[in-house]
């Protein structure tokens, strides 16, 4: 398949490389010369503009920073440049409203389009083990799945356009909440005189168990190896968690919903980020209880 790939950063670089490894003809574009050179070394063909990369393709995949950029790239460089009928797949994490607007514009011009944000970080992008949550028509989903299966371990249809983004931000809001809860419980257990390993041994097989505890424990030396064991480097940056929480709060407002604990999680991550912790893994929020 001929596939244009736009946005070859931390995530997109590994994803595009996996498509090339699977034997696809990957036509890459990024504003960054360094990202483009790295993609070329991993088997992608570099192009000097998104519209040139889109010529004659069967599919377009994008992995970009935000909704404004996604809208501009699709409006100016993809719709009308890629052949009509090519499947358009945006994997960026963006707001639900923009995802729906861009999908509607694409559909009007004759392109099936899906929003397909991911769960999993840079390591999963490199390893091809991402989970994709896909919003769009059945036709869009079926066609996108043929492309996405080379970059992930699971591709799930979440419903109509925008529902992939809705699933992503609800999932990440829950993740932020249970990470803060896990951090708070460990901090309190220690202040009450419990050894953190002992608390882990009890809680990980009791009703307080959750992913943030058993797969991503914020306490160094407890549970599996996580960013906590590496000085909170790598993993999922606090700034990206905050981005997703902001998107979640915006979406909640448009849906007329008041997520009380989600709003508290956003406020806590905002304070943590503003104190210069944006580049640290989001589990480092436990250090606020030191
Ligand atoms: P990144 O900043 O490393 O990569 C974004 C790339 O897009 C950069 O290389 C940049 O040069 C390029 N770009 C920006 N504007 C462009 C344009 N107009 N045309 C072409 N290229 C352009 O970011 P990332 O970490 O790869 O994240 C990408 C998306 O994935 C974001 O929406 C992010 O929220 C989401 N995401 C990231 C992670 C993670 O752990 N990093 C996890 C899940 C989801």
């Amino acid at each position: 398949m001929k596939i244009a790939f736009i946005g070859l950063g931390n995530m997109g670089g590994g994803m595009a490389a996996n498509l090339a490894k699977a034997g696809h003809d990957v036509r890459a574009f990024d504003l960054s010369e360094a990202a483009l050179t790295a993609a070329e070394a991993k088997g992608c063909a570099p192009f000097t503009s998104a519209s040139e990369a889109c010529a004659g393709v069967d599919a377009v995949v994008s992995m970009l920073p935000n909704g404004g950029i996604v809208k501009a790239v699709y409006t100016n460089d993809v719709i009308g440049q890629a052949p009509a009928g090519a499947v358009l797949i945006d994997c960026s994490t963006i707001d639900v409203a923009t995802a729906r607007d861009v999908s509607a514009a694409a559909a009007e011009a004759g392109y099936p389009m899906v929003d397909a944000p991911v769960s999993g970080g840079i390591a999963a992008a490199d390893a091809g083990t991402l989970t994709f949550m896909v919003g769009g028509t059945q036709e869009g989903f079926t066609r996108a799945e043929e492309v996405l299966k080379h970059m992930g371990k699971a591709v799930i249809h979440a419903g109509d356009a925008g529902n992939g983004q809705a699933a992503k931000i609800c999932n990440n809001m829950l993740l932020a909440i249970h990470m803060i809860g896990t951090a708070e419980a460990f901090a309190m257990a220690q202040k009450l005189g419990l050894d953190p390993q002992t608390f882990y041994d009890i809680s990980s097989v009791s009703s307080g168990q959750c992913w943030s505890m058993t797969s991503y424990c914020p306490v160094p030396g407890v549970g599996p190896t996580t960013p906590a064991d590496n000085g909170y480097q790598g993993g999922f940056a606090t700034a990206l968690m905050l981005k997703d929480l902001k998107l979640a709060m915006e979406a909640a407002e448009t849906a007329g919903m008041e997520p009380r604990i989600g709003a508290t999680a956003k406020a806590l991550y905002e304070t943590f980020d503003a104190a210069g912790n944006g580049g640290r893994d989001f589990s480092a929020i436990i250090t606020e209880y030191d």
Side-chain angles (χ1 to χ4, degrees):
M1 227 189 276
K2 243 187 192 180
I3 303 171
F5 204 112
I6 306 169
L8 304 150
N10 289 324
M11 295 292 289
M15 292 164 69
N18 283 326
L19 287 177
K21 215 189 287 171
H24 295 296
D25 174 4
V26 182
R27 301 161 61 93
F29 175 68
D30 194 294
L31 292 177
S32 149
E33 199 67 43
L36 213 47
T37 306
E40 190 177 10
K42 288 179 184 162
C44 304
F47 282 80
T48 48
S49 72
S51 49
E52 278 176 61
C54 286
V57 297
D58 305 295
V60 177
V61 182
S62 55
M63 195 53 163
L64 294 160
N66 61 51
I69 293 175
V70 167
K71 190 167 196 168
V73 165
Y74 277 89
T75 308
N76 303 330
D77 300 314
V78 178
I79 295 173
Q81 307 298 324
V87 62
L88 311 184
I89 307 168
D90 179 41
C91 297
S92 327
T93 302
I94 67 168
D95 59 288
V96 175
T98 299
R100 289 184 174 148
D101 282 357
V102 178
S103 273
E108 206 164 297
Y111 303 91
M113 178 164 187
V114 298
D115 47 296
V118 307
S119 176
I122 300 162
D126 288 343
T129 56
L130 295 165
T131 292
F132 291 93
M133 327 170 188
V134 185
T137 60
Q138 185 59 47
E139 186 213 345
F141 173 73
T142 304
R143 295 207 28 218
E145 197 179 17
E146 286 307 301
V147 176
L148 297 174
K149 70 181 183 190
H150 300 292
M151 301 184 282
K153 64 172 162 49
V155 183
I156 301 165
H157 195 188
D160 290 341
N163 282 20
Q165 298 295 348
K168 163 84 187 178
I169 53 168
C170 291
N171 178 74
N172 278 23
M173 181 178 81
L174 178 58
L175 171 62
I177 291 167
H178 65 59
M179 177 54 78
I180 294 169
T182 301
E184 197 159 293
F186 270 100
M188 187 161 144
Q190 278 178 269
K191 292 210 194 296
L192 292 171
L194 266 163
D195 173 65
Q197 182 64 52
T198 306
F199 177 62
Y200 179 88
D201 292 343
I202 295 167
S203 197
S204 65
V205 293
S206 300
S207 47
Q209 183 273 340
C210 65
W211 186 90
S212 291
M213 175 181 288
T214 53
S215 296
Y216 213 94
C217 190
V219 182
V222 176
T225 303
T226 65
D229 299 304
N230 188 31
Y232 301 102
Q233 298 308 304
F236 184 47
T238 290
L240 286 173
M241 174 52 91
L242 182 56
K243 169 192 168 181
D244 293 355
L245 286 168
K246 285 179 179 165
L247 291 174
M249 294 310 110
E250 272 171 41
E253 199 175 330
T254 60
M257 146 97 193
E258 224 181 286
R260 284 162 281 185
I261 306 189
T264 304
K266 174 181 163 257
L268 292 171
Y269 272 111
E270 225 149 28
T271 305
F272 190 55
D273 179 72
N277 295 302
R280 298 173 84 193
D281 181 72
F282 80 114
S283 66
I285 193 122
I286 195 170
T287 58
E288 291 286 275
Y289 293 93
D290 284 350

